[in-house]
């Protein structure tokens, strides 16, 4: 997963016509560390449909505030600079839940007019 290190890099990534899913996380977050081992396989599974980027909420300026990220890890799907859907809740996220969200993001993207 590509790590975004600046607001301009984030803005460029989400303007892609391809789905870009931003994974908002932080080094100190135990639920973020929980997903780390399986995320490379999840990313590989969806590599033809979307790009995943990692946004450290502590290191990338005001992005998380501007995107209204209240908890981490949070997943937000974008295309052409617009939010498609998001997966945010206070519970630890399983691999199956993340994959289900990514699949639903692809479906939302494909239904756009």
């Amino acid at each position: 997963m590509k790590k975004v290190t600046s607001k301009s890099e984030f803005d460029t990534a989400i303007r892609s016509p391809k789905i870009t899913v931003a994974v908002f996380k932080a080094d100190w977050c135990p639920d973020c560390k929980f997903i780390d081992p399986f995320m490379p396989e999840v990313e590989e599974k969806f590599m033809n449909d979307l790009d995943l980027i990692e946004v450290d909420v502590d290191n990338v300026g005001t992005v998380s505030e501007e995107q209204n990220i209240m908890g981490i890890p949070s997943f937000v799907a974008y295309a052409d600079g617009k939010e498609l859907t998001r997966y945010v809740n206070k519970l630890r996220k399983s691999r199956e839940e993340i994959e289900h969200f990514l699949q639903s993001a692809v479906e939302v993207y494909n239904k756009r007019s």
Side-chain angles (χ1 to χ4, degrees):
M1 192 171 351
K2 181 180 187 277
K3 292 186 180 187
V4 170
T5 58
S6 70
K7 180 176 176 357
S8 63
E9 206 177 348
F10 173 81
D11 291 342
T12 299
I14 68 167
R15 280 196 297 266
S16 169
K18 184 176 180 182
I19 304 170
T20 300
V21 177
V23 182
F24 292 88
K25 54 193 298 200
D27 290 339
W28 50 264
C29 165
D31 289 343
C32 300
K33 291 189 183 308
F34 175 79
I35 69 172
D36 283 345
F38 59 77
M39 283 307 294
E41 292 174 10
V42 171
E43 185 173 20
E44 187 174 325
K45 181 176 180 177
F46 286 90
M47 69 183 197
N48 293 327
D49 297 313
L50 53 84
D51 292 324
L52 285 162
I53 59 171
E54 181 178 322
V55 181
D56 187 312
V57 296
D58 293 329
N59 296 332
V60 186
T62 58
V63 170
S64 59
E65 186 178 310
E66 291 169 0
Q67 298 301 313
N68 203 28
I69 302 302
M70 300 296 185
I72 53 174
S74 289
F75 295 76
V76 184
Y78 303 89
D80 299 314
K82 295 186 174 106
E83 182 177 323
L84 298 172
T85 185
R86 63 174 53 206
Y87 180 37
V88 179
N89 64 35
K90 65 180 181 175
L91 304 174
R92 177 173 277 181
K93 293 153 185 69
S94 70
R95 178 181 180 150
E96 293 76 22
E97 291 168 325
I98 293 168
E99 288 182 358
H100 182 267
F101 166 74
L102 295 175
Q103 186 58 49
S104 70
V106 170
E107 291 167 9
V108 167
Y109 176 81
N110 289 335
K111 288 180 184 174
R112 296 179 318 155
S113 50

